[in-house]
Amino acid sequence: QAGVLAKNFEDATWGLKKTASKPEGGDAPLYLGSDLSTKLKLLGVDVASFGSTTDFWFARQFDDDKAKQLGLSSTIQMDPFSGLYRKLIFNNDLKLLGGLLVGNAEDYYSLLNLSKQDNLGKKVPGDLFLGGSGEGDSEDLSDDSVVCLCQKVTKKQIVDAVKDEECVTIADLKRCTTAGNGCGGCVLSTGFVPKILKTTLESLGKKAFVGISPFFPFTRAELFEIIRVKQLKTYDDVVQECARAGKIPDLQAALVGDEVCKPVVASILASLWSEVPVADGLRELQDTNDFVMANMQRSGQYSVIPRVSGGEVTPQELILMGTVAMKYNLWTKVTGAQRIGLFGASIWQLPDIWEDFVTGQSSFKGEKVQVKVETQGMESGQAYGKALRAVKSCVGTSWCRFGQQDAVTMAVKLEERYKGFRA
């Protein structure tokens, strides 16, 4: 969270300097304190406090009685219906000393930077109310204003990176200045870094980058139309026609680990052409789950979910799933999609597990249980795919005395018709 990470970085940096060998004739660095300004989300509620100095907290400038003794003034904005509370503290020169924000902290970075200035500039205290005319403007910041609290990156460093290093995206700025590599708050739409990037590019006669990722200078809608019109069928075709060739060193190597554009391109290709997702030219767009027909879990193991169309399952299929679960020591659970999930499979077990399911043959012999089953096979329920996975149903007129329609038959027909339909 913003502020906590920045303080940790400051403390760690000072600690490293303190333990490093002392320069000849010099003194070990002194710890001068950290900025205690912090933005958090507690139980889903934004809360934040910020101060121009540590006196805001240690001298309790935020306390009404102390503020009165110190000759300070404050503005308070409250909305009990939305849970909003904002208190901003000012001195007699209208310098913003700090504030407390509850319920909405979107302008936290703007207010924090303003508290580091000597005055409010062209603003008045009333402008700083939420919904007022005091929205953060990057042009109001001085060159030495810190716009990334975690990495202590200033506005001037961002501007210089755009002008001298030809940075045109947030990813470029992260690489050149390290801004945004901490909590990431400064590179959100409410932070100053995107605003500084946009205004600096415009001052140079350039347009801000609006592509789906640093590698593709097109929006999703634009990319969809290009792929459709040019009949691009594989990922390599899309890269050759649409990627920023010549703008990124070693583009192919950079695309290997890209987690933004690949899902978008995969979705577009699936929507337009409906090809097998692991076919040549498409397989590099899929993750591990598509290759092994199972969902990777937090343990690194996998869950296997056979198809149970419409939630309808035969006794023989139940026995088959139970046998496989006992044979491979898997944990079982009825899922929210009216199917049975088998959890805890190691990746080397998956081929044997699916062989048992597809052939419909499995056996297990234990101390108290011995079973051998031969039935019709079961296919993958595609619980891992960006596709139609399952259709749920009630028992309908098949059994329910209040049923109005044959829900089970409809669910089975829908699932069998559209199963695996990717989007």
Side-chain angles (χ1 to χ4, degrees), residues 310-376:
E312 187 177 40
V313 58
T314 66
Q316 291 84 354
E317 289 172 337
L318 286 173
I319 295 172
L320 176 60
M321 286 188 281
T323 303
V324 171
M326 290 188 293
K327 182 178 179 179
Y328 297 98
N329 193 29
L330 305 178
W331 182 71
T332 56
K333 183 185 184 302
V334 177
T335 71
Q338 298 181 341
R339 303 189 290 189
I340 295 179
L342 288 70
F343 295 79
S346 298
I347 190 168
W348 60 83
Q349 294 177 310
L350 294 176
D352 294 333
I353 291 174
W354 279 120
E355 182 179 359
D356 286 4
F357 275 124
V358 172
T359 62
Q361 300 179 10
S362 187
S363 61
F364 172 77
K365 184 177 181 180
E367 293 183 3
K368 297 183 179 181
V369 179
Q370 181 175 341
V371 60
K372 181 177 182 180
V373 59
E374 293 185 10
T375 184
Q376 290 186 345

Side-chain angles (χ1 to χ4, degrees), residues 138 158-159 161-170 172-173 193-210 244:
S138 61
I158 300 294
V159 173
V162 176
K163 291 182 177 180
D164 301 335
E165 303 293 335
E166 297 186 353
C167 295
V168 295
T169 68
I170 295 297
D172 294 338
L173 291 175
V193 173
K195 298 174 184 177
I196 297 172
L197 173 62
K198 181 176 183 294
T199 55
T200 306
L201 286 174
E202 290 175 348
S203 70
L204 298 174
K206 299 179 181 179
K207 292 180 63 177
F209 185 83
V210 294
R244 297 174 65 205

Side-chain angles (χ1 to χ4, degrees), residues 105-119:
E106 291 181 355
D107 54 350
Y108 166 77
Y109 296 101
S110 302
L111 294 172
L112 176 59
N113 274 287
L114 191 59
S115 71
K116 306 301 180 183
Q117 309 301 317
D118 293 332
N119 52 58

Side-chain angles (χ1 to χ4, degrees), residues 166 168 209 213-218 236-255:
E166 297 186 353
V168 295
F209 185 83
S213 82
F215 309 115
F216 288 89
F218 304 102
D236 288 339
D237 292 342
V238 176
V239 170
Q240 185 175 353
E241 291 287 336
C242 306
R244 297 174 65 205
K247 297 291 186 179
I248 299 177
D250 200 357
L251 177 63
Q252 291 297 331
L255 285 169

